[in-house]
Amino acid sequence: MGPGTLQKVLDRLPSFKCPSLLVGPETGDDAGVFKIDDNLALVQTLDFFTPVVDDPYTFGAIAAANSLSDVYAMGGEPLTVMNIVGFPSCTLPIEVLGEILRGGADKIKESGAILVGGHTVEDKEPKYGLSVTGRVHPERVITNSGAQAGDYLILTKSLGVGIVVTSIKGGLASSETTQEAINQMAFLNKQACEVMIHFGVKGATDVTGFGLIGHAVEMAKASKVSIELYPNKLPLITGAIELARMGMIPAGAYQNREYFSALVEGSPKEEIMDVLYDPQTSGGILMAVTEDKVEAVLQELHQTGVSMSTVVGKVLPKGEKEIYLREE
Amino acid sequence: MYLVDCRGLNCPEPVIQTKKALEEHASITTVVDNQVARDNVVKLVANHGYNVSVEQKERHYHIHITKGESEISFEEKLAPKGDYVILLTSSTFGSESPELGEILIKSYFYTLVEGDQKPAAILLANGGAKLSCVGSTVLDHLKALETKGVEILTCGTCLDYFQLKESLEVGTITNMYSISDRIAKASKVINL
């Protein structure tokens, strides 16, 4: 759902106040965090969506990686998960469902979490995702409000997933581009999370439906800072720019642009704008790292296989706009 | 002119159908019913350097595409013909006398319809939003301008404020993003 429409509905809900609720819905963070005692807090999240690729096993793996990512973005360790499934059992063979769940289960295993159950409903089209419960030390929660002026922003996956998924549907994406996008969507943010914990990173979010700009806006608002993004330094899926020029822009990118553009200054090329607003499925972690640690964090990310990680911007003191797009 | 009817279709289908049609025809018109499809089709053809113009008919966009070299940038292609826009933030021409202002605005739009130098778009905000709604004395002029390719864009926030959203008679509802975009991209902005 578009960010504007959703916010209007959420604004009408009563707010739940509780001293143990360390992270609630107000800051637009990735997951809720609830303190159990001085050494333990629960991280909880839920996410599911319709197929982004044709292959059911791959779809299952991507959906699971995407759901788990919200726990990683908070610096948490996933403990238990439950499947959430919608499936048209009258029109699709049941083996398809088996493959979706198998793809999910393999990804859950890779994360180290345990599958404890789930729920399935009849639906017109398949939907799959996870409800994830994780744990984190209450004093080491990483939130989108932890970015400080002077920090550098590292993004751990390439952008352009939404554009490529649209192109796959249109039969225009090359097999290399398709494979690159799939590998990236199915890649867990586990290593990125471990690097953040190792270096004591305070501020991070994962980049998903609102695109890099949208999630950077939420981070800027929650952290009461402004953010500078480098349009010439974005990690991009091979071929994404050409596909953007061909008009393979998902509707979500236009919604994001309409909602967030008033908070953004700077006008790079049209196709770069498209990428900046492009909704990502199972996107990377955007982390705010203090200047003295940037090199070491990047090195460790690259060594642990998070090879696309790169500096995409910098945190500035709060200015007039939330986001400034300037070439570095 | 080959017609590609993409009404009721969501992206990427209109882009794919346009691309296919262009492989066989030199000149086509793609009809779409949503802005996302419109912008994506324009991106596609602009990238190929083809000539493109967009015409709005009620709720549909007719995208006329002709193959051939053109040096115009994508932004210029998205903006309709003409190179200046008119921004009206009041329903009258001048504020000293509202009565005179109403006579003058009518006369101004009449002249505009008859003249050669038409704007690319007329942006209506604040009190100007009333001009495109039921009861306006310049509705016929605005409609005439629209049929001649001038975009009539009325600020949605303003229509809400005056509770006129149901009363819009001509053109389309827009938002501040589009208004500021139009102002930024126009070679001249005339603020009446």
Side-chain angles (χ1 to χ4, degrees):
Chain A
M1 194 184 270
T5 322
L6 181 60
Q7 197 55 47
K8 274 184 205 152
V9 177
L10 294 182
D11 284 345
R12 291 188 190 162
L13 292 184
S15 69
F16 292 85
K17 298 280 180 219
C18 168
S20 299
L21 185 63
L22 302 184
V23 179
E26 293 81 10
T27 52
D29 227 314
D30 304 300
V33 181
F34 187 84
K35 184 174 163 181
I36 302 290
D37 60 36
D38 287 346
N39 297 307
L40 178 68
L42 288 182
V43 186
Q44 291 182 293
T45 179
L46 183 155
D47 208 333
F48 63 104
F49 47 67
T50 53
V52 286
V53 291
D54 287 339
D55 179 57
Y57 177 89
T58 309
F59 165 54
I62 291 171
N66 180 70
S67 301
L68 288 158
S69 177
D70 286 331
V71 171
Y72 291 131
M74 310 297 290
E77 175 196 357
L79 293 176
T80 58
V81 308
M82 294 203 212
N83 286 326
I84 307 143
V85 187
F87 195 77
S89 60
C90 302
T91 54
L92 279 180
I94 200 71
E95 289 76 19
V96 171
L97 177 58
E99 279 298 285
I100 293 173
L101 297 183
R102 192 170 69 84
D106 282 353
K107 209 34 85 173
I108 295 162
K109 275 222 151 121
E110 190 185 327
S111 77
I114 311 277
L115 178 66
V116 296
H119 185 68
T120 308
V121 294
E122 263 308 309
D123 205 340
K124 277 185 204 146
E125 58 181 340
K127 295 189 183 78
Y128 176 59
L130 305 176
S131 156
V132 186
T133 302
R135 71 169 161 206
V136 66
H137 192 286
E139 282 160 20
R140 292 197 279 276
V141 181
I142 302 174
T143 65
N144 65 2
S145 56
Q148 293 196 325
D151 288 352
Y152 281 83
L153 290 169
I154 293 174
L155 178 64
T156 66
K157 288 186 187 179
S158 305
L159 298 169
V161 167
I163 291 166
V164 173
V165 167
T166 307
S167 314
I168 295 172
K169 286 177 188 159
L172 289 181
S174 71
S175 55
E176 292 81 12
T177 295
T178 303
Q179 201 52 51
E180 191 178 327
I182 285 174
N183 291 348
Q184 171 161 290
M185 285 188 280
F187 190 79
L188 287 178
N189 283 328
K190 183 181 185 180
Q191 288 83 353
C193 172
E194 286 164 0
V195 174
M196 289 200 292
I197 293 168
H198 183 197
F199 285 93
V201 169
K202 300 276 192 296
T205 184
D206 64 344
V207 176
T208 53
F210 297 163
L212 177 60
I213 282 194
H215 291 282
V217 163
E218 297 216 313
M219 182 184 259
K221 281 186 169 170
S223 302
K224 301 186 174 61
V225 294
S226 288
I227 284 176
E228 181 178 49
L229 294 173
Y230 310 141
N232 57 332
K233 289 289 165 74
L234 304 174
L236 300 168
I237 293 174
T238 315
I241 286 289
E242 287 70 28
L243 294 167
R245 288 195 192 118
M246 290 174 79
M248 291 289 114
I249 313 299
Y254 288 99
Q255 288 169 3
N256 288 340
R257 192 159 176 167
E258 174 153 352
Y259 189 68
F260 293 112
S261 61
L263 310 173
V264 179
E265 186 181 296
S267 47
K269 279 189 203 150
E270 187 64 23
E271 55 268 30
I272 296 291
M273 279 300 218
D274 290 333
V275 168
L276 284 164
Y277 287 107
D278 183 41
Q280 306 296 290
T281 300
S282 188
I285 301 265
L286 181 69
M287 60 176 93
V289 181
T290 52
E291 188 171 7
D292 56 317
K293 290 178 183 163
V294 172
E295 281 310 313
V297 168
L298 272 180
Q299 194 180 0
E300 189 161 315
L301 283 167
H302 292 155
Q303 275 167 5
T304 51
V306 195
S307 56
M308 299 314 297
S309 305
T310 182
V311 172
V312 294
K314 196 177 174 183
V315 182
L316 308 175
K318 173 115 192 65
E320 195 183 321
K321 298 279 180 179
E322 266 67 21
I323 306 293
Y324 294 89
L325 304 173
R326 293 182 198 130
E327 298 213 341
E328 197 215 4
Chain B
M1 178 77 71
Y2 184 77
L3 188 76
V4 187
D5 188 354
C6 294
R7 285 175 295 179
L9 296 178
N10 285 321
C11 276
E13 203 48 42
V15 176
I16 302 303
Q17 293 203 12
T18 301
K19 194 170 179 292
K20 278 190 186 145
L22 282 167
E23 283 162 15
E24 291 173 16
H25 304 272
S27 175
I28 68 166
T29 294
T30 299
V31 185
V32 298
D33 61 8
N34 64 85
Q35 291 184 10
V36 170
R38 177 196 69 187
D39 290 357
N40 279 343
V41 169
V42 171
K43 271 175 207 266
L44 169 78
V45 293
N47 183 45
H48 281 283
Y50 298 159
N51 290 303
V52 55
S53 65
V54 181
E55 188 187 354
Q56 187 171 357
K57 292 185 185 170
E58 288 167 19
R59 296 186 185 286
H60 304 134
Y61 301 99
H62 293 239
I63 309 166
H64 307 296
I65 306 159
T66 321
K67 284 191 189 177
E69 291 302 308
S70 114
E71 298 296 320
I72 308 169
S73 76
F74 168 69
E75 283 79 9
E76 288 168 294
K77 278 172 179 161
L78 253 192
K81 301 144 295 279
D83 62 348
Y84 74 102
V85 303
I86 295 173
L87 174 65
L88 269 159
T89 54
S90 152
S91 62
T92 58
F93 194 110
S95 56
E96 188 74 25
S97 153
E99 205 180 337
L100 177 62
E102 201 177 311
I103 296 168
L104 292 178
I105 198 84
K106 240 176 124 172
S107 149
Y108 174 71
F109 276 117
Y110 173 76
T111 317
L112 208 57
V113 173
E114 299 301 315
D116 301 330
Q117 302 219 331
K118 293 193 179 45
I122 298 174
L123 311 173
L124 301 169
N126 209 322
K130 293 175 184 170
L131 292 174
S132 53
C133 295
V134 174
S136 155
T137 53
V138 297
L139 272 183
D140 290 343
H141 301 328
L142 286 174
K143 282 177 182 165
L145 286 166
E146 192 181 34
T147 58
K148 291 183 180 178
V150 178
E151 269 196 276
I152 313 293
L153 300 167
T154 307
C155 157
T157 311
C158 311
L159 289 174
D160 275 343
Y161 181 84
F162 294 117
Q163 299 184 339
L164 286 171
K165 210 144 197 170
E166 305 302 318
S167 315
L168 189 78
E169 282 282 309
V170 55
T172 47
I173 298 175
T174 189
N175 56 32
M176 201 43 93
Y177 167 70
S178 301
I179 292 177
S180 83
D181 194 52
R182 279 306 169 83
I183 290 174
K185 283 173 183 161
S187 67
K188 255 191 312 196
V189 177
I190 295 169
N191 196 349
L192 283 180

